[in-house]
Amino acid sequence: MTAPDPRAAIDALADAADATPAWRDAMHRAPRHAFVPDRILAGPASGPDRLIDKAADPDGWWQAVYSDQPIVTQVDDGTTDLPEGRDYTSSCSQPSLVVSFLRLLEVHDHHRVLEIGTGTGWTAGLLSAAIGDHNVTSIEVDPVLAERATVNLEGAGLHPNLIVGDGAAGHPDTVPFDRVHVTCGVRSVPYAWVEQTRPGGIIVLPWSPGIGWGHQLVLHVQPDGTALGRVGDSADYMLLRAQRRDLYFGGEHEETTTRIDPRTLAWAPRGADLAMAALLPGVRAFERELQDDVIDWWLSDPGSRSWAVARYVPGETEYPVRQHGPRRLWEEAEDAYFRWQSWGRPGCDRYGITVTADGLHLWMDGPAHRIA
């Protein structure tokens, strides 16, 4: 792996990512190793990430770079050193997901592309290699990351238009775009992206509604200024900074019980997650594994200052629930889950999204059947 010519490693990675010939060629012209810093956090899918320093462990570094896995390059927005950080805030994404999103973009060399989230610059490099850097504009909110990406791209001989700014606002100075490629998770789709894409254009993004896994989303911009699309495969990405929200768990709580095993909701199919996300607006959910196989499922809505937690305890037939705030989030989640059951337990392939000036709307089977 430490050989100076990594072409075989790039081809193996392109195979793992199911890259088309065009994207395989782009992966050679914008090799991943040119965009990965010397100190990274990486690890197998089944295990914890570890610090890898290229100077101390060159073989481990090259192996991580040319494995189909994400590589963490920043924690806590750069305020903390990698091994000490709490929150992952930038990465070089998993190659198979990167290529999957690029294929969904259906890009051609006459298209002008706006990328939201430059990060290390690797995806901007792949786009530039594929369609010409004069067609690529990439926005990064973090000036330190933007500077590093500039160095990475110039080192690879690529020169897209790089902007430091809030990607949620897009880049109105150079509209219209034919494609918008988003490399960070979003809870809602900024309407600026739709406005700045010409009719017939495509927006691809990781949609992270707050409950369950994130989803690949492909939106097609319509002449009336709306965008329509279907929910696709799983895709978990770090959130757009403008859409991060702190969780709320303050105040006194009430205690009740439920006969429903909390894991039924916490581990529900993706179709149920979508229904709960649509019917519990503003809510984020996550689970926490405790000792002795005890599992908590948390729900939080900072907007209404409400929260709930249901606890699975092995061997019990009823489970404790704690709640606070004007919204009874556990009951809302129960109702949403069983409403999804009453619809026939639809899978993700039956859901779609419409984005308008007044927000994002989830529907089933067709835009006329709006859920929320």
Side-chain angles (χ1 to χ4, degrees):
M1 272 298 196
T2 57
D5 182 6
R7 293 189 64 83
I10 295 172
D11 279 328
L13 189 62
D15 289 341
D18 194 25
T20 63
W23 291 118
R24 179 184 297 269
D25 181 66
M27 291 172 76
H28 280 282
R29 294 187 58 200
R32 196 183 191 211
H33 67 265
F35 296 87
V36 176
D38 289 352
R39 297 177 78 249
I40 58 176
L41 290 176
S46 58
D49 291 331
R50 67 181 181 93
L51 178 67
I52 303 175
D53 189 320
K54 185 179 181 181
D57 183 11
D59 287 340
W61 186 88
W62 278 95
Q63 183 177 12
V65 169
Y66 283 105
S67 297
D68 187 27
Q69 64 186 53
I71 293 173
V72 177
T73 58
Q74 186 197 67
V75 294
D76 298 339
D77 295 333
T79 61
T80 309
D81 191 43
L82 279 179
E84 311 300 329
R86 184 184 68 174
D87 297 322
Y88 293 173
T89 51
S90 188
S91 70
C92 191
S93 299
Q94 183 176 359
S96 57
L97 263 180
V98 170
V99 171
S100 176
F101 271 111
L102 289 172
R103 294 181 68 169
L104 291 172
L105 201 62
E106 298 181 13
V107 71
H108 298 283
D109 58 11
H110 64 278
H111 286 145
R112 300 177 67 248
V113 179
L114 173 65
E115 181 190 45
I116 308 298
T118 312
T120 65
W122 187 44
T123 307
L126 293 172
L127 284 163
S128 297
I131 63 171
D133 44 25
H134 62 286
N135 282 323
V136 179
T137 297
S138 184
I139 302 178
E140 173 56 55
V141 70
D142 187 319
V144 174
L145 293 180
E147 183 177 355
R148 292 174 185 167
T150 300
V151 172
N152 294 340
L153 286 158
E154 289 180 349
L158 300 165
H159 305 277
N161 181 27
L162 300 180
I163 306 295
V164 178
D166 181 3
H171 190 55
D173 293 347
T174 55
V175 297
F177 295 97
D178 301 286
R179 301 288 188 267
V180 176
H181 182 274
V182 183
T183 67
C184 48
V186 297
R187 301 206 185 284
S188 59
V189 178
Y191 188 63
W193 299 348
V194 179
E195 290 182 302
Q196 294 173 25
T197 305
R198 70 172 78 247
I202 295 175
I203 303 170
V204 300
L205 58 95
W207 181 44
S208 302
I211 296 180
W213 291 93
H215 313 269
Q216 287 186 329
L217 185 60
V218 182
L219 297 171
H220 298 267
V221 177
Q222 307 298 303
D224 64 358
T226 65
L228 303 173
R230 290 276 183 174
V231 175
D233 293 336
S234 295
D236 267 359
Y237 277 64
M238 300 167 192
L239 277 177
L240 180 76
R241 292 195 187 183
Q243 294 190 5
R244 293 180 189 166
R245 289 198 306 167
D246 291 333
L247 299 172
Y248 173 75
F249 295 111
E252 299 294 328
H253 64 266
E254 301 175 10
E255 296 188 6
T256 58
T257 60
T258 179
R259 294 173 56 206
I260 300 170
D261 185 332
R263 297 173 301 175
T264 300
L265 276 62
W267 299 348
R270 289 176 61 225
D273 289 339
L274 281 169
M276 288 189 285
L279 298 172
L280 278 75
V283 173
R284 289 180 59 190
F286 65 93
E287 66 178 88
R288 180 173 293 161
E289 295 185 14
L290 307 177
Q291 293 181 341
D292 302 320
D293 298 323
V294 174
I295 295 173
D296 283 346
W297 192 53
W298 291 87
L299 299 158
S300 174
D301 174 27
S304 68
R305 299 179 70 81
S306 302
W307 59 267
V309 57
R311 172 167 290 181
Y312 164 75
V313 181
E316 298 295 324
T317 57
E318 292 194 354
Y319 306 97
V321 176
R322 290 176 287 153
Q323 296 191 91
H324 167 84
R327 293 183 68 177
R328 315 312 290 165
L329 294 181
W330 173 253
E331 283 84 353
E332 287 188 38
E334 284 185 353
D335 290 344
Y337 176 81
F338 286 105
R339 191 182 303 186
W340 169 76
Q341 291 226 351
S342 74
W343 297 337
R345 298 173 59 91
C348 287
D349 59 337
R350 291 182 58 191
Y351 290 97
I353 297 288
T354 300
V355 178
T356 68
D358 65 353
L360 181 153
H361 308 284
L362 185 71
W363 42 262
M364 192 189 306
D365 297 331
H369 300 106
R370 182 182 293 185
I371 297 172

